[in-house]
Protein backbone atom coordinates (compact mmCIF):
# COMPACT_ATOMS: atom_id res chain seq x y z
CA UNK A 1 0.00 0.00 0.00
CA UNK A 2 1.38 3.42 -0.94
CA UNK A 3 1.71 6.00 1.88
CA UNK A 4 -0.83 8.28 0.18
CA UNK A 5 -3.43 5.47 0.42
CA UNK A 6 -2.95 4.92 4.13
CA UNK A 7 -5.49 6.14 6.65
CA UNK A 8 -4.46 8.75 9.27
CA UNK A 9 -4.41 6.02 11.91
CA UNK A 10 -2.10 3.88 9.76
CA UNK A 11 0.21 6.82 9.11
CA UNK A 12 0.45 7.58 12.84
CA UNK A 13 1.12 3.92 13.57
CA UNK A 14 3.84 3.88 10.91
CA UNK A 15 5.42 7.01 12.41
CA UNK A 16 5.53 5.62 15.94
CA UNK A 17 6.95 2.39 14.55
CA UNK A 18 9.71 4.28 12.73
CA UNK A 19 10.56 6.21 15.90
CA UNK A 20 10.74 2.97 17.88
CA UNK A 21 12.91 1.28 15.25
CA UNK A 22 15.21 4.26 14.75
CA UNK A 23 14.04 4.98 11.23
CA UNK A 24 13.07 8.41 12.48
CA UNK A 25 15.30 9.92 15.16
CA UNK A 26 14.20 12.28 17.91
CA UNK A 27 16.64 15.15 18.41
CA UNK A 28 16.54 17.40 21.46
CA UNK A 29 17.20 21.06 20.54
CA UNK A 30 16.77 22.39 24.09
CA UNK A 31 19.28 23.88 26.50
CA UNK A 32 18.97 22.64 30.09
CA UNK A 33 16.99 25.20 32.10
CA UNK A 34 19.22 26.08 35.04
CA UNK A 35 20.33 29.03 37.20
CA UNK A 36 23.38 29.31 34.94
CA UNK A 37 21.21 30.15 31.93
CA UNK A 38 21.94 33.65 30.63
CA UNK A 39 19.00 36.05 30.68
CA UNK A 40 18.49 39.01 28.37
CA UNK A 41 19.63 42.16 30.18
CA UNK A 42 17.56 45.24 29.42
CA UNK A 43 18.73 48.83 29.87
CA UNK A 44 18.43 49.74 33.58
CA UNK A 45 15.46 52.06 33.05
CA UNK A 46 13.32 49.10 31.93
CA UNK A 47 11.93 46.11 33.80
CA UNK A 48 14.15 43.04 34.04
CA UNK A 49 13.40 39.34 33.55
CA UNK A 50 13.85 37.04 36.51
CA UNK A 51 16.70 34.57 36.17
CA UNK A 52 16.03 30.87 36.68
CA UNK A 53 15.68 29.91 40.33
CA UNK A 54 15.24 26.31 41.53
CA UNK A 55 14.27 26.04 45.19
CA UNK A 56 14.08 22.59 46.71
CA UNK A 57 10.87 21.82 48.62
CA UNK A 58 11.88 18.33 49.67
CA UNK A 59 14.01 15.40 48.61
CA UNK A 60 13.12 12.35 50.70
CA UNK A 61 13.79 14.34 53.89
CA UNK A 62 11.95 16.23 56.64
CA UNK A 63 10.25 18.42 54.03
CA UNK A 64 8.75 15.34 52.41
CA UNK A 65 10.03 11.89 53.34
CA UNK A 66 8.89 10.01 50.23
CA UNK A 67 9.01 12.62 47.48
CA UNK A 68 11.24 15.07 45.68
CA UNK A 69 10.05 18.35 44.14
CA UNK A 70 11.10 21.96 43.61
CA UNK A 71 9.66 25.43 43.32
CA UNK A 72 10.62 27.10 40.04
CA UNK A 73 10.71 30.76 39.09
CA UNK A 74 11.82 32.35 35.83
CA UNK A 75 10.78 34.90 33.23
CA UNK A 76 8.66 33.81 30.28
CA UNK A 77 11.57 34.45 27.92
CA UNK A 78 14.26 32.44 29.68
CA UNK A 79 16.31 29.51 28.42
CA UNK A 80 15.16 27.82 25.23
CA UNK A 81 11.89 29.67 24.81
CA UNK A 82 8.98 30.51 22.54
CA UNK A 83 7.84 34.00 21.51
CA UNK A 84 4.13 34.51 20.80
CA UNK A 85 2.94 37.50 18.72
CA UNK A 86 1.80 39.36 21.87
CA UNK A 87 5.45 39.53 22.98
CA UNK A 88 6.00 42.54 20.70
CA UNK A 89 3.97 45.72 20.33
CA UNK A 90 3.38 44.98 16.63
CA UNK A 91 1.44 41.84 17.56
CA UNK A 92 -0.48 43.16 20.55
CA UNK A 93 -3.84 43.55 18.78
CA UNK A 94 -3.84 40.28 16.82
CA UNK A 95 -6.30 37.51 17.56
CA UNK A 96 -5.04 34.36 19.33
CA UNK A 97 -1.73 36.09 20.00
CA UNK A 98 -0.77 34.48 23.31
CA UNK A 99 0.51 31.00 24.13
CA UNK A 100 -2.81 29.94 25.68
CA UNK A 101 -4.90 31.04 22.67
CA UNK A 102 -2.62 30.22 19.72
CA UNK A 103 -3.66 27.37 17.41
CA UNK A 104 -2.14 23.92 17.82
CA UNK A 105 -0.88 23.12 14.25
CA UNK A 106 2.10 25.52 14.46
CA UNK A 107 3.47 23.41 17.31
CA UNK A 108 4.29 20.59 14.85
CA UNK A 109 5.62 21.74 11.47
CA UNK A 110 8.39 21.20 8.87
CA UNK A 111 11.67 23.02 9.37
CA UNK A 112 14.47 24.37 7.19
CA UNK A 113 17.91 25.03 8.70
CA UNK A 114 20.22 27.70 7.27
CA UNK A 115 23.81 26.95 8.28
CA UNK A 116 25.76 30.16 8.94
CA UNK A 117 28.37 28.67 11.25
CA UNK A 118 31.44 29.45 9.13
CA UNK A 119 30.48 33.10 8.70
CA UNK A 120 29.55 33.46 12.38
CA UNK A 121 32.86 31.92 13.50
CA UNK A 122 34.64 34.69 11.59
CA UNK A 123 32.29 37.50 12.62
CA UNK A 124 30.18 37.51 15.80
CA UNK A 125 28.17 40.35 14.23
CA UNK A 126 27.26 38.36 11.13
CA UNK A 127 23.99 39.50 9.54
CA UNK A 128 21.85 36.99 7.67
CA UNK A 129 20.63 38.80 4.56
CA UNK A 130 18.05 38.31 1.86
CA UNK A 131 20.84 37.51 -0.58
CA UNK A 132 22.25 34.80 1.68
CA UNK A 133 18.82 33.16 1.98
CA UNK A 134 18.30 33.24 -1.78
CA UNK A 135 21.72 31.62 -2.24
CA UNK A 136 20.72 28.91 0.27
CA UNK A 137 17.52 28.32 -1.69
CA UNK A 138 19.50 27.89 -4.91
CA UNK A 139 21.16 24.88 -3.29
CA UNK A 140 18.36 23.44 -1.17
CA UNK A 141 15.11 24.59 -2.77
CA UNK A 142 12.64 27.33 -1.95
CA UNK A 143 11.49 27.66 1.65
CA UNK A 144 7.86 26.57 1.92
CA UNK A 145 4.89 28.34 3.46
CA UNK A 146 4.04 27.46 7.08
CA UNK A 147 7.39 25.99 8.03
CA UNK A 148 9.94 26.98 10.63
CA UNK A 149 13.26 28.46 9.54
CA UNK A 150 16.18 28.10 11.94
CA UNK A 151 19.46 30.00 11.73
CA UNK A 152 22.36 27.78 12.76
CA UNK A 153 25.22 29.93 14.04
CA UNK A 154 27.23 27.66 16.33
CA UNK A 155 26.02 29.64 19.35
CA UNK A 156 24.30 26.58 20.76
CA UNK A 157 27.69 25.28 21.91
CA UNK A 158 28.58 28.45 23.84
CA UNK A 159 28.08 29.05 27.57
CA UNK A 160 28.53 31.85 30.07
CA UNK A 161 29.96 35.18 28.97
CA UNK A 162 30.82 33.86 25.50
CA UNK A 163 27.15 33.06 24.90
CA UNK A 164 25.77 36.50 25.71
CA UNK A 165 28.93 38.17 24.29
CA UNK A 166 28.15 41.49 25.95
CA UNK A 167 30.42 44.47 25.27
CA UNK A 168 30.21 48.08 26.41
CA UNK A 169 27.79 48.82 23.57
CA UNK A 170 25.58 45.76 24.08
CA UNK A 171 25.42 42.22 22.71
CA UNK A 172 27.45 41.07 19.73
CA UNK A 173 25.68 38.01 18.37
CA UNK A 174 24.61 37.03 14.83
CA UNK A 175 21.08 37.36 13.51
CA UNK A 176 18.93 38.42 10.53
CA UNK A 177 18.52 41.84 8.99
CA UNK A 178 15.17 43.34 8.00
CA UNK A 179 15.48 42.22 4.38
CA UNK A 180 15.96 38.61 5.41
CA UNK A 181 12.94 38.62 7.71
CA UNK A 182 10.75 40.40 5.15
CA UNK A 183 11.64 37.74 2.58
CA UNK A 184 10.82 34.91 4.97
CA UNK A 185 7.60 36.39 6.33
CA UNK A 186 6.12 38.44 3.49
CA UNK A 187 7.27 36.41 0.48
CA UNK A 188 7.69 32.87 1.82
CA UNK A 189 4.98 32.95 4.50
CA UNK A 190 7.00 31.09 7.13
CA UNK A 191 5.49 29.98 10.41
CA UNK A 192 8.33 31.23 12.56
CA UNK A 193 12.06 31.90 12.89
CA UNK A 194 14.47 30.42 15.41
CA UNK A 195 18.06 30.97 16.53
CA UNK A 196 20.72 29.52 18.79
CA UNK A 197 21.39 32.96 20.29
CA UNK A 198 19.63 34.60 23.22
CA UNK A 199 17.12 36.34 20.93
CA UNK A 200 15.76 36.03 17.40
CA UNK A 201 17.36 39.38 16.52
CA UNK A 202 20.92 40.42 15.76
CA UNK A 203 22.78 41.55 18.87
CA UNK A 204 22.96 45.14 17.63
CA UNK A 205 19.45 45.12 16.14
CA UNK A 206 18.43 48.33 17.91
CA UNK A 207 20.35 50.11 15.13
CA UNK A 208 18.45 48.45 12.27
CA UNK A 209 15.38 49.78 10.46
CA UNK A 210 12.98 48.87 11.91
CA UNK A 211 14.69 48.24 15.23
CA UNK A 212 14.62 44.56 16.14
CA UNK A 213 13.20 43.49 12.77
CA UNK A 214 12.78 39.81 13.69
CA UNK A 215 10.52 40.71 16.60
CA UNK A 216 8.79 43.58 14.83
CA UNK A 217 8.04 41.86 11.53
CA UNK A 218 7.52 38.30 12.76
CA UNK A 219 5.08 39.16 15.52
CA UNK A 220 3.35 41.90 13.56
CA UNK A 221 2.39 39.20 11.03
CA UNK A 222 1.27 36.74 13.72
CA UNK A 223 4.38 34.58 13.42
CA UNK A 224 6.43 32.95 16.16
CA UNK A 225 9.98 32.94 17.48
CA UNK A 226 12.30 30.38 19.07
CA UNK A 227 15.65 31.13 20.66
CA UNK A 228 18.42 29.60 22.74
CA UNK A 229 18.25 26.43 20.64
CA UNK A 230 21.09 23.93 20.57
CA UNK A 231 22.02 20.81 18.62
CA UNK A 232 21.04 22.17 15.21
CA UNK A 233 24.00 20.37 13.65
CA UNK A 234 21.91 17.16 13.89
CA UNK A 235 19.27 18.55 11.52
CA UNK A 236 19.43 18.42 7.71
CA UNK A 237 18.82 21.60 5.68
CA UNK A 238 15.38 20.24 4.72
CA UNK A 239 13.25 17.28 5.70
CA UNK A 240 12.96 17.44 9.49
CA UNK A 241 9.84 18.23 11.52
CA UNK A 242 9.90 20.53 14.55
CA UNK A 243 7.84 19.99 17.70
CA UNK A 244 7.62 23.21 19.72
CA UNK A 245 4.77 23.38 22.25
CA UNK A 246 4.99 26.29 24.73
CA UNK A 247 3.48 26.12 28.21
CA UNK A 248 -0.18 27.11 28.27
CA UNK A 249 0.34 30.23 30.40
CA UNK A 250 -2.69 32.46 30.86
CA UNK A 251 -2.26 35.46 28.51
CA UNK A 252 1.40 34.42 28.18
CA UNK A 253 3.70 36.25 25.78
CA UNK A 254 5.92 33.17 25.60
CA UNK A 255 7.43 30.43 27.72
CA UNK A 256 10.36 28.08 28.13
CA UNK A 257 9.71 24.79 26.33
CA UNK A 258 11.24 21.50 25.18
CA UNK A 259 11.95 21.66 21.44
CA UNK A 260 12.26 18.33 19.60
CA UNK A 261 12.90 17.48 15.97
CA UNK A 262 11.90 14.39 13.99
CA UNK A 263 14.78 13.59 11.65
CA UNK A 264 14.94 10.81 9.03
CA UNK A 265 17.68 8.43 10.13
CA UNK A 266 19.11 8.16 6.61
CA UNK A 267 20.00 11.88 6.59
Amino acid sequence: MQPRDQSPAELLSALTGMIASGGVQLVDLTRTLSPDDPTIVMPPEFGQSWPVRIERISRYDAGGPAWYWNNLSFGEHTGTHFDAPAHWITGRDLACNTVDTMPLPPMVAPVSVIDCTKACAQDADYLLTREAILAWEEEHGQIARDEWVLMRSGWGDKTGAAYANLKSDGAHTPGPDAGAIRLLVEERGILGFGTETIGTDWGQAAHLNPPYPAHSILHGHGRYGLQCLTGLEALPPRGAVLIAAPLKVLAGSGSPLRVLALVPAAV
Side-chain angles (χ1 to χ4, degrees):
M1 181 180 291
Q2 295 299 316
R4 63 177 177 273
D5 297 324
Q6 290 182 303
S7 69
E10 289 171 325
L11 288 170
L12 286 175
S13 178
L15 174 60
T16 55
M18 292 186 72
I19 292 173
S21 68
V24 170
Q25 296 178 341
L26 279 172
V27 178
D28 191 351
L29 305 179
T30 317
R31 296 174 72 97
T32 299
L33 191 64
S34 77
D36 296 329
D37 255 13
T39 302
I40 293 176
V41 178
M42 303 298 291
E45 64 268 25
F46 298 128
Q48 304 295 322
S49 174
W50 286 358
V52 175
R53 294 186 179 92
I54 303 175
E55 178 188 75
R56 183 176 300 174
I57 302 171
S58 69
R59 189 161 186 167
Y60 330 118
D61 53 24
W67 53 90
Y68 166 49
W69 58 341
N70 300 305
N71 283 320
L72 304 177
S73 63
F74 43 76
E76 289 177 324
H77 300 268
T78 308
T80 300
H81 63 277
F82 186 98
D83 287 353
H87 178 46
W88 210 249
I89 190 169
T90 53
R92 66 178 178 178
D93 295 324
L94 298 179
C96 303
N97 64 351
T98 54
V99 290
D100 58 326
T101 61
M102 65 176 286
L104 296 179
M107 300 182 193
V108 182
V111 59
S112 288
V113 181
I114 301 176
D115 187 353
C116 307
T117 51
K118 290 183 179 178
C120 294
Q122 297 174 354
D123 181 9
D125 291 314
Y126 172 75
L127 265 173
L128 176 65
T129 64
R130 174 189 178 91
E131 292 72 25
I133 295 173
L134 292 174
W136 182 92
E137 288 185 325
E138 284 291 322
E139 182 177 356
H140 300 290
Q142 184 169 304
I143 292 165
R145 175 172 291 276
D146 293 329
E147 71 176 24
W148 283 98
V149 173
L150 306 182
M151 178 181 174
R152 183 183 165 207
S153 61
W155 243 251
D157 297 328
K158 297 180 183 292
T159 58
Y163 183 72
N165 203 28
L166 291 173
K167 309 296 182 184
S168 60
D169 59 346
H172 287 264
T173 53
D177 69 8
I181 292 296
R182 289 197 187 281
L183 169 65
L184 293 174
V185 172
E186 297 173 0
E187 299 181 43
R188 299 294 182 261
I190 66 165
L191 181 66
F193 181 76
T195 64
E196 295 176 294
T197 53
I198 205 166
T200 50
D201 269 297
W202 188 51
Q204 295 286 300
H207 304 295
L208 298 177
N209 185 23
Y212 305 102
H215 284 78
S216 179
I217 298 168
L218 279 169
H219 302 321
H221 286 78
R223 305 304 200 269
Y224 309 104
L226 287 170
Q227 44 268 296
C228 303
L229 297 168
T230 190
L232 297 188
E233 65 276 4
L235 272 59
R238 305 292 296 271
V241 171
L242 203 67
I243 302 173
L247 298 175
K248 197 173 183 179
V249 179
L250 177 64
S253 71
S255 87
L257 76 171
R258 190 78 174 256
V259 182
L260 303 176
L262 299 172
V263 180
V267 175

